[in-house]
Amino acid sequence: MTWDSDLAELVGRLAEVRVLAVGDLMLDRFVYGAVERISPEAPVPVLRIEREQAMLGGVGNVVRNLRAQAASVCLVALLGRDEAAREIKGLLRDDVEIESHLLEEDDRPTTIKTRYIAGGQQMLRADRERVQAVSGAIEEEIIARAEADLGLAQALVLSDYGKGVLTGRVVQRLIAAARPRAVPVIIDPKGSDYTRYSGATLVTPNRRELTEATGMPAGSDEEVVAAAAFLIERAGVEAVLVTRSQDGMTLLCRNAPDAPLHLPATAREVYDVSGAGDTVVATVSAALAAGIDLESAARLANAAAGIVVGKVGTATAGSTELTAVFRARELETGEAKSVTLEDALSHVEAWRAQGQSIGFTNGVFDLLHPGHIALLREAKAHCDRLIVGINSDASVRRLKGDSRPIQNDAARALVLGSLAAVDLVVIFPEDTPEPLLEALRPDVLVKGGDYSIDRVVGADIVRAYGGRVMLANFRDGHSTTKSIERANKGKSV
């Protein structure tokens, strides 16, 4: 097993947990449009608005990410009495797996962050908010609501945006309540005094926040580790996970100060980092709630962050997307291309979730020759992902006699898996690939041009659900049987 295959298996466990989330809840608005000219009134771009979108922000975005990973959530937060609060309640009402306890204050406006976006780039953010610590009565109500749910939760998230909900008293009371229950406490921190988070399992500052909290530089790996170690001792927390933008993430634990974990960034393209920290917090929390070790939790969170920064807006990283990332990385290393049908179905589900098309071809592939290479390259040209089905050894003997196959099915699968055009290889025991086609339902079935469409086994299955059947160009003279005949003839001369 590899790291990627192990992590892919762990993703499913995130759906089995319940997380308590407490913090600053806000409404994120996104205004999308196009900029085609500069205003004649001032040297600023004119945004022609095309559409608007609203979603949960702050601790609400942590909740969104937890739900994307199928975890259930209890949310304790504070709102004003205004239209934005009603909009947030409407967004929460649609999901029965979110138990919401929303307190209200008359003189506190609900925080709204409005982002203006053109061409996939954020142009401006406008905030409507009042930063003010909650009253003592509200503090007690927040604590009481949260403590009541701790008996059901397997992790506690404190999402601190510095708006006044997570006062020092609220934070310390909730940490104190979680510790005897062995509930891990994960904190997205704010400010420079992290002693208020003393007793927490994990804090997740970004590079700038780490410097503000310690007064130490956080550029290189060594500097980040030194600052994180200082923070662990000064703040009295168990571990620090530093998010470092294009440099990935660094995890340092109190019980292993000489063994920092540096994880490289996984995003291939970065469009928007909005909310990526919330994704990290949500993923780590769900993983720790599931009993997953902290190193694996950090690796899961790093992959999730790589997904969301490749999207515009405060996005989420779903469990299917996470699984797809690990499966894809596993295949990129050339490992595990030969899979069972069950594993193939998992890959296909993940690929389809990413909008990729699936192709299929099959054969014995006993001695790989130029005709095979041409077939596989052409098949891959008609799809995003190509699956190759090969007959098992017993199947080959039934079809071609006891002298075949020349290479066993494991060897044939290994050779095929080494080709860039091939994404998966599935060995099937039947004499035809029809059971594979019925299960995988590829978008396109490709066979060699020495067939006719009406002779392609499984063509009727594929066409019945709307798939395509295509014939590759035929290269005469290239076949395993003929190669064997020529070799035997040469021996007899």
Side-chain angles (χ1 to χ4, degrees), residues 308-329:
V308 298
V309 298
K311 303 177 181 179
V312 176
T314 50
T316 60
S319 53
T320 300
E321 292 175 294
L322 262 179
T323 301
V325 166
F326 297 126
R327 295 299 189 199
R329 290 202 319 222

Side-chain angles (χ1 to χ4, degrees), residues 341 344-345 348-349 351-352 356-362 379 382-389 433-447 456-470:
L341 174 56
L345 288 169
V348 167
E349 180 184 6
W351 290 334
R352 285 206 163 110
Q356 296 180 331
S357 60
I358 312 300
F360 181 90
T361 191
N362 67 280
H382 293 293
C383 61
D384 297 311
R385 297 288 186 173
L386 178 62
I387 301 174
V388 180
E434 289 177 321
L436 282 187
L437 293 170
E438 289 173 344
L440 297 171
R441 296 172 68 88
D443 301 288
V444 58
L445 168 62
V446 183
K447 286 296 289 184
V456 174
V457 175
D460 55 335
I461 295 172
V462 175
R463 283 175 157 178
Y465 59 74
R468 295 175 295 141
V469 180
M470 305 191 69

